[in-house]
Amino acid sequence: MRHRKAGRKLGRSASHRKAMFRNMVTSLIEEGMIQTTTPRAKEVRRFVEKLITSAKRNAPSLVDGAVSDAEREVLVQQRVAAIRQAGKFVRSRDALQILFSEYAERYKSRNGGYTRIVKVGRRLGDNADMALIELLPKDYVDARVRRAQSVEAAPAVEAEPVVEAQAEEEKGE
């Protein structure tokens, strides 16, 4: 039984799986969108979300906003450490640069949910479920959040009492 075992094996050895996910994460960071099978996309999402959260916690604007030199020094050290940790997983220096500059600032005010998985049908040949995994744009707001905001923003309409309306109809007749 596989109780409490996180992650999918995807029919690969541990080293092959790790290499595959490293390559896919790097490609997603560089390109912004990749097409793969649905189970792979769901696994890649786990790694990308953690990397973006780490980058967001060490964004350049946080270092620039330090009040004292001592605080700035500590933030710089934390940022360098986070970049080195992410560098263990991300294969490209360009991808690291994009992750810790562009994506850290883009998702600074967002609490998780940086990716979207869109199912695109089945692959010819083996009929595997395919999906696009993409990083959300900066100004993206989920439809559920938009609906909730519109309900809060809508002014309450006061209904006329039913008794008065009926009385006016009777007078008119």
Side-chain angles (χ1 to χ4, degrees):
M1 289 186 283
R2 282 196 39 129
H3 298 292
R4 298 174 56 121
K5 304 271 192 274
R8 294 169 175 85
K9 293 199 174 199
L10 300 173
R12 284 160 175 72
S13 65
S15 60
H16 186 182
R17 220 175 19 253
K18 181 179 178 184
M20 180 180 66
F21 288 142
R22 288 178 67 185
N23 287 329
M24 291 175 81
V25 165
T26 303
S27 295
L28 181 60
I29 291 171
E30 288 176 340
E31 303 296 326
M33 175 191 327
I34 58 173
Q35 183 173 351
T36 183
T37 62
T38 303
R40 285 182 191 169
K42 289 178 180 180
E43 281 300 302
V44 167
R45 175 176 53 189
R46 292 176 50 218
F47 297 108
V48 170
E49 298 268 342
K50 288 178 183 177
L51 286 170
I52 292 176
T53 300
S54 172
K56 184 177 80 165
R57 289 181 181 154
N58 297 289
S61 61
L62 295 176
V63 175
D64 295 340
V67 251
S68 67
D69 288 339
E71 182 184 1
R72 181 179 175 79
E73 184 69 27
V74 169
L75 290 174
V76 167
Q77 289 174 356
Q78 289 175 350
R79 181 171 163 78
V80 169
I83 291 172
R84 287 181 178 164
Q85 287 293 320
K88 288 181 180 179
F89 200 80
V90 177
R91 291 190 178 270
S92 162
R93 284 189 169 199
D94 295 336
L96 274 177
Q97 180 66 33
I98 293 168
L99 178 67
F100 278 85
S101 58
E102 182 183 334
Y103 294 150
E105 294 300 325
R106 179 190 295 184
Y107 300 119
K108 188 169 49 175
S109 61
R110 188 174 182 87
N111 295 326
Y114 315 113
T115 58
R116 170 175 43 204
I117 295 176
V118 180
K119 295 185 180 185
V120 293
R122 296 192 166 267
R123 181 166 57 197
L124 294 175
D126 65 353
N127 210 26
D129 241 357
M130 298 299 287
L132 283 175
I133 179 168
E134 58 186 344
L135 296 168
L136 295 176
K138 182 176 185 170
D139 55 353
Y140 179 78
V141 178
D142 192 12
R144 291 173 290 192
V145 174
R146 259 187 273 134
R147 263 188 260 124
Q149 289 173 348
S150 66
V151 168
E152 291 173 4
V157 178
E158 292 185 27
E160 293 183 27
V162 178
V163 177
E164 293 176 11
Q166 289 175 351
E168 290 177 12
E169 288 179 10
E170 292 174 0
K171 289 179 185 177
E173 292 177 4

